[in-house]
Amino acid sequence: GWVHRGVRPAAIRVGTPIELTEFRFAARRDSESSDPISHGGYSPPNLLSTNTIDPAVDVYGIGAMLLHA
């Protein structure tokens, strides 16, 4: 599978249906990334330290969006 790595308000298009956009930061699941991506408060701290890509990265971004909504 793939991980988006860029879940934040600017990457969500609200309509019918709600769409996730901006896939330029997507990466294969369970891989290593040499380029840490940070989107303000929407990227988990462990992504910056370990660069391990897993679905928790996107779950953290969704949770951060809901917290700030």
Side-chain angles (χ1 to χ4, degrees), residues 8-27:
R8 63 190 189 287
I12 304 292
R13 187 180 335 197
V14 178
T16 306
I18 295 174
E19 297 176 338
L20 186 59
T21 62
E22 297 184 15
F23 287 92
R24 65 180 169 231
F25 303 117

Side-chain angles (χ1 to χ4, degrees), residues 20-37:
L20 186 59
T21 62
E22 297 184 15
F23 287 92
R24 65 180 169 231
F25 303 117
R28 298 280 307 166
R29 179 181 177 180
D30 297 328
S31 62
E32 292 285 325
S33 173
S34 61
D35 57 337
I37 304 294

Side-chain angles (χ1 to χ4, degrees), residues 3-8 24-27 33 35-37 39 43 47 53 57-58:
V3 178
H4 187 274
R5 295 196 309 164
V7 176
R8 63 190 189 287
R24 65 180 169 231
F25 303 117
S33 173
D35 57 337
I37 304 294
H39 297 289
S43 296
L47 182 62
I53 300 167
V57 172
D58 290 343

